Amino acid sequence: QVQLVESGGGLVQPGGSLRLSCVVSRSFSSIYAMGWYRQAPGKERELVAHIISGRTTNYADSVKGRFTISRDNVKNTVYLQMNSLKPEDTAVYYCNAIILNPTAENYWGQGTQVTVSS
């Protein structure tokens, strides 16, 4: 079992920044991939960014150049730095972990609301 706890969401004006945090209950050494997803009202959950094996990062085209995913191995925490926020970034953001045991097991946090509005 893996517990994920997100924080850092809130209300921000267009062009502003937020940093989301996700504290993970186990060491990253046992986790294959960490990621951030989001789900806006009436839409499907979509991948925002992820880190695979602690090295390879991938981003959705809509956030490239604005969002950065990173992790702190000492604090067992994954971050999503979001800059130049747009109203279309409004969504509930979820932290995700994939463990190979040996098949892939997905774990999710409870989500944190991000609202971009003037």
Side-chain angles (χ1 to χ4, degrees), residues 8-117:
L11 173 64
V12 63
Q13 292 186 343
S17 298
L18 281 175
R19 188 177 78 159
L20 305 183
S21 300
C22 173
V23 179
V24 186
S25 64
R26 70 162 66 178
S27 168
F28 287 138
S29 62
S30 63
I31 297 177
Y32 170 69
M34 292 292 307
W36 288 94
Y37 288 71
R38 67 186 181 187
Q39 188 167 18
K43 295 187 177 181
E44 293 186 353
R45 191 172 296 189
E46 62 176 359
L47 174 68
V48 176
H50 62 186
I51 297 179
I52 300 174
S53 298
R55 293 185 296 274
T56 304
T57 58
N58 290 291
Y59 296 90
D61 288 342
S62 59
V63 306
K64 283 181 180 177
R66 300 189 297 121
F67 291 12
T68 303
I69 188 170
S70 63
R71 71 183 205 182
D72 184 325
N73 294 335
V74 174
K75 296 182 178 179
N76 287 354
T77 301
V78 177
Y79 302 100
L80 184 68
Q81 178 66 44
M82 305 185 294
N83 299 327
S84 303
L85 282 161
K86 305 175 181 179
E88 51 264 43
D89 294 319
T90 296
V92 178
Y93 284 70
Y94 296 91
C95 183
N96 169 263
I98 299 175
I99 295 174
L100 301 181
N101 194 29
T103 57
E105 298 178 355
N106 269 277
Y107 296 90
W108 296 93
Q110 80 286 354
T112 185
Q113 176 71 46
V114 172
T115 302
V116 185
S117 174

